[in-house]
Amino acid sequence: SGSTPPFPPSSGEPRFGGAATMAGGFKYTMLVPLVVGLIIKNSVDTGNEENVLWARRFFLFGKIIEMIIYGMLYFRITSKPNDKTVVVSERDMQPPNPLANMLGLDEEEEEENSKETLTYTQYDLRVLIAEFKQTVIQSCIVTVIHVQWGYLIPMVIPVLTALVNKSDNALFRIHMLGHPPQPELKRPFKKKSAFGGLMPQRKPKKKKEKGRNGKKKGRKAN
C-alpha cells in the first residue's frame, strides 16, 4: 500500500498555485511590489535617463507577458467548451470596489429579473474580457502619468502586482494550472481586490422581505 506523506497539508493551507495568506487575508505576494516600490523610491535615481529607459522596458515587457497570458486563456477557454451553467447578476460581472467596505458603501439589492444564466464558457469569457479591459485602462492611465509627470514607480508597481497575483486568479488557476474544483473557484467567482486583505470586511445586510404585493416590508406606521 502507498505510504502517506510525513507532513500532509492541512485543509487550511493553500494548494500549489494559490497565493499564501496571513491572518486577515493579507497575501505574502503583496509584499513584493511594496518592497520594490520602497527600493525605487529610496535608492534609484528617477531622473537618470538610463533608469527611465529600464523602467519603460520593464513596463512594456510586463504588459506583453500579460497580453500573452490573456491570449492563452482565451485559447484554453474556447478550445474546451463547458456547457455547465451558472446564474449570474450584473454585480457579479463588475470589478471589485476595494473602498466599498472601508467607506461603508452599501451595494444595491438585486432584482431577480437582473440575473441571467450563462454556460461556464460564456461566463469565463466575460470575466476574461472584463479583466482585459481593466488592464488596458490601467495601462493607459499609467502611460499618461509617466509622460505628463515622469514618475517611474507607476511603471513598475502595477506590472509586478498583476504578475505576482496571477497565481491567485481564478481563470488562471482553472485553465492554466489545471486546478480541480474548489470552493474558491466556484462560479461566479468571488470578487477580489489587490488591497482587499487590508480593508475591514463588513457583513452583508440581510435582504428585506417582500409582502404579497411585491413591496418591501417596512416599519408599521403609528
Side-chain angles (χ1 to χ4, degrees):
S1 61
S3 58
T4 57
F7 300 103
S10 64
S11 58
E13 294 179 350
R15 299 187 181 184
F16 175 77
T21 57
M22 299 170 61
F26 183 85
K27 298 179 178 61
Y28 289 106
T29 53
M30 290 175 61
L31 295 175
V32 176
L34 291 177
V35 171
V36 172
L38 288 175
I39 293 176
I40 294 175
K41 182 178 180 181
N42 298 322
S43 305
V44 177
D45 181 8
T46 57
N48 186 288
E49 288 296 330
E50 186 175 353
N51 293 337
V52 173
L53 182 60
W54 276 109
R56 292 173 178 173
R57 289 173 178 171
F58 180 83
F59 179 78
L60 180 61
F61 182 70
K63 291 304 172 181
I64 290 174
I65 292 178
E66 282 192 80
M67 295 302 109
I68 292 175
I69 293 175
Y70 284 131
M72 294 176 66
L73 283 173
Y74 180 84
F75 175 77
R76 292 288 183 90
I77 294 172
T78 55
S79 62
K80 296 180 180 180
N82 192 329
D83 294 330
K84 291 183 179 180
T85 59
V86 59
V87 178
V88 299
S89 63
E90 185 178 349
R91 186 193 305 171
D92 293 327
M93 308 309 301
Q94 295 174 352
N97 183 359
L99 299 179
N101 286 327
M102 184 179 69
L103 298 179
L105 301 178
D106 293 326
E107 296 181 351
E108 296 180 358
E109 294 183 4
E110 298 166 343
E111 299 294 338
E112 291 296 328
N113 56 12
S114 67
K115 298 183 178 181
E116 60 179 324
T117 302
L118 302 173
T119 64
Y120 279 12
T121 299
Q122 292 173 328
Y123 173 75
D124 289 358
L125 284 176
R126 285 198 186 184
V127 173
L128 180 65
I129 292 172
E131 292 180 358
F132 176 79
K133 289 180 178 179
Q134 219 173 3
T135 299
V136 172
I137 293 173
Q138 181 197 69
S139 302
C140 293
I141 293 174
V142 170
T143 301
V144 170
I145 292 175
H146 175 68
V147 172
Q148 186 71 25
W149 294 285
Y151 294 147
L152 292 189
I153 293 181
M155 299 284 287
V156 178
I157 301 304
V159 175
L160 277 177
T161 303
L163 294 179
V164 299
N165 285 338
K166 282 299 178 186
S167 62
D168 198 44
N169 180 273
L171 289 179
F172 189 85
R173 293 176 63 183
I174 293 173
H175 297 286
M176 300 298 292
L177 301 181
H179 281 193
Q182 302 174 29
E184 63 268 26
L185 299 181
K186 183 180 178 181
R187 298 170 178 84
F189 306 133
K190 293 181 179 179
K191 295 185 289 185
K192 294 182 180 180
S193 169
F195 303 100
L198 300 177
M199 304 296 181
Q201 299 297 318
R202 300 171 66 247
K203 295 182 180 180
K205 288 187 175 182
K206 295 181 179 180
K207 293 184 178 180
K208 296 180 180 179
E209 297 180 358
K210 295 182 178 180
R212 294 181 180 179
N213 57 359
K215 296 182 179 179
K216 297 175 184 177
K217 291 182 178 180
R219 294 182 179 179
K220 295 181 180 180
N222 294 330

